[in-house]
Amino acid sequence: MTATRALAPSLSLLEVRPSGVHGLGAFAAADLPAGTKLGIYAGRRFTAVQAAAMDWDRALTYLFGLSDGTLIDGGRRGNKMRHLNHACEPNCEAREVHGARGRLQLAIHTLRDVRAGEELFLDYALTVDDAEGPTDYPCHCGSLRCRGTMVAAPAGA
Ligand SMILES: [Zn+2]
């Protein structure tokens, strides 16, 4: 029998340093094949009811909404995953997975092969309320298909 050691999902797969796009960014610390799990998006959790009662004051870009209405605020008790910047053609995505006791979590995976040193991006696809619009969250990702905003594209677009 041969003992093999699996490469455990680890925060050391990425490193945080200043980004040319915005503030700090997350960069691949090694060559990462497509589908690599980078980690779980950590942060303070709010139920849909708690979230509705909060005054979020434009903290939106660290907030992730899950399909059950839970919000995760990566700006509090977050981990390195919160440093992935937005791009309209991202190389990573967040997938909902069931963690311990069936709790929904967000796992960040690479969408394609990523080279060591490349910056890692998610499409934030922000949802905004009526008081705000796409121009409140401009995107400067520089991709050819940049839609000019971090707000989600309208359905069917
Ligand atoms: Zn863009």
Side-chain angles (χ1 to χ4, degrees):
M1 229 165 99
T2 309
T4 55
R5 187 178 294 193
L7 181 65
S10 162
L11 297 184
S12 67
L13 294 180
L14 56 87
E15 58 190 22
V16 175
R17 53 186 160 88
S19 162
V21 178
H22 176 77
L24 292 172
F27 294 79
D31 289 341
L32 304 174
T36 300
K37 181 180 171 184
L38 297 172
I40 296 292
Y41 191 90
R44 186 168 164 196
R45 299 174 75 101
F46 297 88
T47 65
V49 173
Q50 290 170 329
M54 290 283 292
D55 176 10
W56 290 103
D57 189 28
R58 298 180 65 93
L60 267 175
T61 51
Y62 281 140
L63 289 182
F64 252 115
L66 306 189
S67 60
D68 67 356
T70 302
L71 287 184
I72 301 177
D73 181 4
R76 302 171 222 216
R77 297 182 217 152
N79 58 9
K80 289 183 183 176
M81 299 304 145
R82 75 178 188 278
H83 292 296
L84 271 76
N85 281 316
H86 164 90
C88 297
E89 291 186 282
N91 51 15
C92 296
E93 67 173 356
R95 300 180 193 163
E96 286 190 342
V97 295
H98 289 278
R101 301 187 302 282
R103 190 163 88 149
L104 271 185
Q105 297 185 312
L106 278 175
I108 310 295
H109 291 259
T110 52
L111 278 170
R112 59 167 173 80
D113 294 350
V114 176
R115 296 236 176 126
E118 273 189 68
E119 185 165 358
L120 302 166
F121 294 102
L122 290 171
D123 183 346
Y124 287 3
L126 298 178
T127 53
V128 294
D129 61 29
D130 293 341
E132 297 177 306
T135 54
D136 289 310
Y137 297 92
C139 179
H140 307 285
C141 73
S143 115
L144 288 174
R145 301 177 68 181
C146 181
R147 57 182 188 265
T149 175
M150 295 188 279
V151 172

